[in-house]
Every structure is written in C-alpha cells, then in structure tokens.
C-alpha cells in the first residue's frame, strides 16, 4: 500500500480524496439549492406558517363542496 493513501482502508490518494470531496460538496450544494427553490415555491402557493387563517379559505371551499346538494335524477 502507498504512503499517500488517506487513512486506513480508503485506498484513495490525497488528490483522489479531494476530488471525491469536491464532487460531494458540489452535488450537495445543488441539492440544497433545488430544495430551497422548491420550498419557496410551495410557500408562495400555500404558506404553512405565519398567517393565522392561512388555510381558512381552503376549509370554507371544502365545506361548501361537502354541503352542496347533488341534483336528483329523473
């Protein structure tokens, strides 16, 4: 085994370990960026904190749909 490997049992040289770490950091940053954008879009659509009656309009629409009379047949 080479003296340039990182730690016991990794079989990576210092350059390979740095390259792997760089790829991990870049992919993690991309994932976090996409997650932040997705959370912002969902927050814009339906805020889950802050507004005291944020879902009140949705609940009233659901209640109106549930109490709407079904037209009879015939």
């Amino acid at each position: 085994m080479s003296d340039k490997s990182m730690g016991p049992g990794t079989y990576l040289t210092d350059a390979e370990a740095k390259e792997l770490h760089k790829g991990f950091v870049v992919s993690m940053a991309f994932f976090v960026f996409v997650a932040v954008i997705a959370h912002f879009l969902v927050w814009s659509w339906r805020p889950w904190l802050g507004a005291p009656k944020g879902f009140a309009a949705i609940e009233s629409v659901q209640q109106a749909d549930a109490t709407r009379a079904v037209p009879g047949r015939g």
Side-chain angles (χ1 to χ4, degrees), residues 54-69:
F55 289 106
I58 296 170
E59 291 173 1
S60 64
V61 168
Q62 289 174 344
Q63 289 174 356
D65 287 344
T67 58
R68 185 180 302 165

Side-chain angles (χ1 to χ4, degrees), residues 1-60:
M1 192 177 329
S2 167
D3 291 335
K4 294 183 179 183
S5 66
M6 296 289 297
T10 61
Y11 304 109
L12 294 175
T13 63
D14 191 33
E16 291 170 337
K18 286 181 181 180
E19 185 179 350
L20 181 68
H21 182 261
K22 182 181 176 184
F24 177 80
V25 169
V26 168
S27 63
M28 187 67 177
F30 178 73
F31 174 80
V32 169
F33 177 74
V34 170
V36 167
I37 297 297
H39 277 80
F40 174 76
L41 291 174
V42 171
W43 176 267
S44 299
W45 174 52
R46 267 190 200 169
W48 55 86
L49 295 174
K53 294 189 177 185
F55 289 106
I58 296 170
E59 291 173 1
S60 64

